[in-house]
Amino acid sequence: MLQVDGLTKAFGGFVAVNQVSFAVAPAEILGLIGPNGSGKSTIFNLVSGTLSPTAGSIRFEGQEIAGRPASEIVHRGLARTFQIPRPFRKLPILENVAVAAYFGRNGRIDRGTAVERARAALALVGLPGDPDARTDGLGAAGLKKLELARALATQPRLLLADESLGGLDHGEMQQAAEMLRRVRGEMGITIVWVEHIMGVLMKVVDRVMVLHHGETVAEGLPADVVRDPRVIEVYLGRGHAGA
Amino acid sequence: MKAGWPLLGAALLLPPFLPISDYTLHIIILVLLWAFVYTSWTIMGRFGLVSLGHGAFLGLGTYVTALLWNHYGLTPWAGIPLGVVVAVAVALVIGYPCSRLKVVGHYFALVTLALTEVVRLSIVAWRDVTGGSLGMTPNAVPPESIVALQFTKFTWYWVALGVWALGLVVWHRVDRSMTRSAMDAIADDETAAAAVGINVTLQKLLVTTVSAALTAFGGALIGQYQMYINPDTMAGVGVSLQIVFAAISGGMYVILGPTVGAILTIVLQEFLRVLFGTRCIGAAATIYGIMLIVFIIFMPAGICGVIVARMRKRRAVAAAAPAAG
Ligand SMILES: Nc1ncnc2c1ncn2[C@@H]1O[C@H](COP(=O)(O)OP(=O)(O)OP(=O)(O)O)[C@@H](O)[C@H]1O
Ligand SMILES: [Mg+2]
């Protein structure tokens, strides 16, 4: 479904993502983990068209999308959330999602249908309350749900979820994990999920890829990856490897 | 308020039949035509695309029409569409790179400011054809000529009223469209807007095209009505500032805001003309500049914005009162 080869991004002289390759199969949930600054969000920015890669190829459903405009990539069925929520503060909550429903399908649906889909997406992520309220009243958990509702409203086949559940309480984290499981299970949407809190992530994903300094360190089943000495080294420091 | 619209519509049919002076009718026609131009500006200005370049579109619309008429005898019925096409082409040539290079805010204002001066200076420099800074007069024919688009004030009133109403209809349609939501999203966060599938450049160019086209159309009609055009009053920074001032002071987010801005600027202009005569031609631009700053600081929503907010508040209080009592 998604095939990434030799993906590289340099910011000036600093290489944030270096020769990363991976593939995502249909209806899979791939976990993407790694310490702060390892390049996870940058990979999402590259795949979603927010940034252009320095080198490498990104194929989505067989088509090359590297360097294509972000809006075009959404129209092809690939949506993303932002780690730090970026709500449209001028628009009410429902309209935030309705623009995504409408323009995510490139205006091929009418406004009424877009609003209907927006309501459905808000219900799915569990964002109750007044849909005509502004986004200012939403807390951290609410803004994360709004991000997810907006991405889902574009009706993607592949979702890049830059979640970072940090800041949420235990119950909210379980809810978020449960929701991603449902998105895949009930809607058949393939997911790449970035998350720091590994306990939650490992229970949901089919496969994990570990990044460090912009390079792939390990890849495989969650149970194998957590025992991989290279991964332990990345997370706990040199002295612990092989201990 | 709902009942107010038919009432307003009926009242607008009256002026030509009232025993008012030719001068008063003239002022009303000017208000309607300029209100159309100001309304056209807000179609992009309300989304943070603060253009100081609308003098350029106004000038292109009016000069293309008048020049084709005077030099080639081409009817304004063809001249105006051509003027509109030229204005839109210029708008796209400036707008496309601005959008791709993310020129926004102050930089966008500066780029468009340069554009309006380029158009004004070109008109001045091309003296042999345009009459330069002395301005030009479209070749007159006996009035009530449909071909030449030259009428008596009585007829002009209906033309101006129709065009003004057209401006309101377009404003309303944009206000209710998904493009409005898209433009609000873009004004907030272009990256996030693109990430939900909004083609940022396309949406910006869409409102820019509509705004520039209507402004050029308005400019051409004002030239036809006044039968005199001048690079300082129809192009350049002076008139651009006047447009921005009128739109902001009246209120860009309310349908009748630019019309209120037109009443304000035209009355102010006439007042200054009577007070100073032609000695202080530059006074108006200075006063616009100062008042623009005052409005931006103290009343950014404009006169109509404040009125609408007050009415909403009163209605909310009225709705809450019986429940409390
Ligand atoms: N636009 C940019 N310009 C310059 N450097 C950048 C830019 N975006 C990211 N970086 C740098 O690239 C590196 C990788 O950043 P990235 O945001 O991808 O990390 P991450 O894995 O998502 O980290 P976190 O877990 O903290 O979210 C960091 O060192 C960051 O400072
Ligand atoms: Mg990140």
Side-chain angles (χ1 to χ4, degrees):
Chain A
M1 163 150 254
L2 184 73
Q3 178 78 45
V4 172
D5 284 302
L7 190 62
T8 301
K9 178 69 186 180
F11 296 110
F14 173 74
V15 182
V17 174
N18 193 6
Q19 293 287 330
V20 169
S21 302
F22 63 94
V24 187
E28 179 183 32
I29 302 186
L30 171 69
L32 195 54
I33 63 172
N36 289 111
S38 54
K40 307 180 294 293
S41 296
T42 303
I43 289 179
F44 276 13
N45 285 336
L46 295 170
V47 173
S48 67
T50 299
L51 292 176
S52 283
T54 308
S57 127
I58 305 165
R59 283 203 308 282
F60 176 58
E61 295 180 332
Q63 311 259 351
E64 184 64 45
I65 57 166
R68 302 303 306 160
S71 55
E72 183 196 314
I73 291 174
V74 179
H75 302 156
R76 285 167 183 258
L78 197 165
R80 60 88 55 91
T81 68
F82 288 97
Q83 181 173 3
I84 299 162
R86 302 174 81 149
F88 304 128
R89 302 245 170 227
K90 282 197 175 73
L91 299 178
I93 291 172
L94 181 63
E95 196 65 12
N96 257 270
V97 188
V99 283
Y102 185 83
F103 289 99
R105 297 262 51 81
N106 205 4
R108 278 190 296 269
I109 57 174
D110 60 36
R111 190 199 186 97
T113 312
V115 170
E116 242 168 67
R117 283 187 193 167
R119 283 188 200 284
L122 284 172
L124 179 77
V125 302
L127 198 58
D130 180 7
D132 295 324
R134 302 266 144 179
T135 58
D136 305 334
L138 292 174
L143 286 173
K144 288 246 178 285
K145 287 177 177 173
L146 181 62
E147 273 292 324
L148 195 58
R150 234 165 44 176
L152 290 174
T154 67
Q155 299 200 321
R157 288 184 297 283
L158 174 63
L159 172 70
L160 310 180
D162 205 343
E163 274 288 285
S164 174
L165 301 177
L168 304 193
D169 65 34
H170 184 75
E172 287 167 339
M173 275 186 215
Q174 297 305 322
Q175 266 180 18
E178 183 51 37
M179 175 135 44
L180 285 183
R181 210 181 265 142
R182 284 215 332 260
V183 164
R184 190 263 302 265
E186 291 168 22
M187 306 168 76
I189 297 175
T190 311
I191 300 174
V192 182
W193 185 19
V194 163
E195 182 48 64
H196 275 291
I197 299 165
M198 280 213 266
V200 186
L201 178 121
M202 292 297 188
K203 276 186 234 145
V204 178
V205 299
D206 304 312
R207 220 154 44 86
V208 204
M209 184 168 107
V210 186
L211 280 177
H212 186 45
H213 292 321
E215 291 176 16
T216 314
V217 175
E219 195 192 327
L221 298 176
D224 298 335
V225 167
V226 290
R227 279 196 302 261
D228 189 316
R230 287 168 301 176
V231 175
I232 296 168
E233 184 184 311
V234 162
Y235 273 92
L236 298 175
R238 202 153 273 286
H240 294 265
Chain B
M1 196 60 210
K2 276 267 163 356
W5 287 108
L7 227 62
L8 179 70
L12 284 168
L13 299 179
L14 292 178
F17 305 110
L18 294 177
I20 53 173
S21 67
D22 234 28
Y23 174 71
T24 310
L25 190 60
H26 166 66
I27 295 297
I28 297 175
I29 293 169
L30 278 185
V31 164
L32 289 171
L33 289 176
W34 281 104
F36 173 67
V37 170
Y38 303 155
T39 303
S40 309
W41 183 87
T42 60
I43 285 174
M44 66 187 283
R46 65 179 294 189
F47 301 118
L49 294 174
V50 178
S51 159
L52 288 174
H54 271 50
F57 309 138
L58 200 73
L60 288 170
T62 196
Y63 268 92
V64 167
T65 305
L67 288 173
L68 288 173
W69 171 245
N70 279 11
H71 293 283
Y72 299 100
L74 185 70
T75 166
W77 289 91
I80 292 176
L82 283 171
V84 167
V85 167
V86 172
V88 167
V90 169
L92 294 179
V93 164
I94 296 293
Y96 183 77
C98 274
S99 177
R100 292 310 298 263
L101 301 173
K102 301 217 162 114
V103 176
V104 293
H106 306 308
Y107 300 104
F108 184 76
L110 274 178
V111 169
T112 53
L113 180 73
L115 169 70
T116 198
E117 279 300 287
V118 166
V119 169
R120 185 182 71 84
L121 291 170
S122 306
I123 295 169
V124 172
W126 206 15
R127 197 175 304 124
D128 300 342
V129 177
T130 62
S133 49
L134 293 177
M136 67 181 283
T137 301
N139 293 338
V141 298
E144 301 295 27
S145 160
I146 291 184
V147 174
L149 218 68
Q150 293 177 17
F151 308 115
T152 59
K153 284 203 172 53
F154 181 83
T155 308
W156 265 113
Y157 178 81
W158 300 110
V159 175
L161 186 66
V163 166
W164 172 76
L166 168 77
L168 298 191
V169 168
V170 174
W171 192 97
H172 181 75
R173 300 229 10 203
V174 172
D175 189 53
R176 291 297 154 91
S177 70
M178 286 308 284
T179 287
R180 180 227 165 140
S181 296
M183 287 303 296
D184 278 338
I186 290 168
D188 268 339
D189 188 334
E190 287 194 11
T191 303
V196 297
I198 298 172
N199 185 331
V200 174
T201 298
L202 181 73
Q203 295 298 323
K204 279 187 179 178
L205 292 184
L206 213 62
V207 292
T208 303
T209 299
V210 171
S211 180
L214 294 182
T215 302
F217 179 41
L221 286 179
I222 290 169
Q224 288 298 121
Y225 171 66
Q226 295 186 147
M227 289 296 280
Y228 171 71
I229 54 180
N230 176 303
D232 291 314
T233 54
M234 294 304 282
V237 63
V239 70
S240 292
L241 209 58
Q242 172 193 328
I243 294 173
V244 177
F245 164 69
I248 291 181
S249 64
M252 331 185 234
Y253 309 107
V254 183
I255 190 163
L256 287 179
T259 303
V260 169
I263 296 170
L264 195 71
T265 47
I266 305 280
V267 168
L268 184 72
Q269 219 170 48
E270 288 302 300
F271 178 75
L272 289 174
R273 207 166 53 81
V274 171
L275 202 65
F276 296 113
T278 47
R279 276 169 295 144
C280 288
I281 278 290
T286 312
I287 291 173
Y288 289 144
I290 294 170
M291 287 184 63
L292 185 57
I293 295 168
V294 171
F295 266 98
I296 288 173
I297 295 173
F298 295 106
M299 214 193 252
I303 295 167
C304 284
V306 169
I307 292 173
V308 167
R310 289 252 166 91
M311 281 190 336
R312 284 222 181 99
K313 208 161 160 193
R314 197 176 314 155
R315 211 175 304 149
V317 170

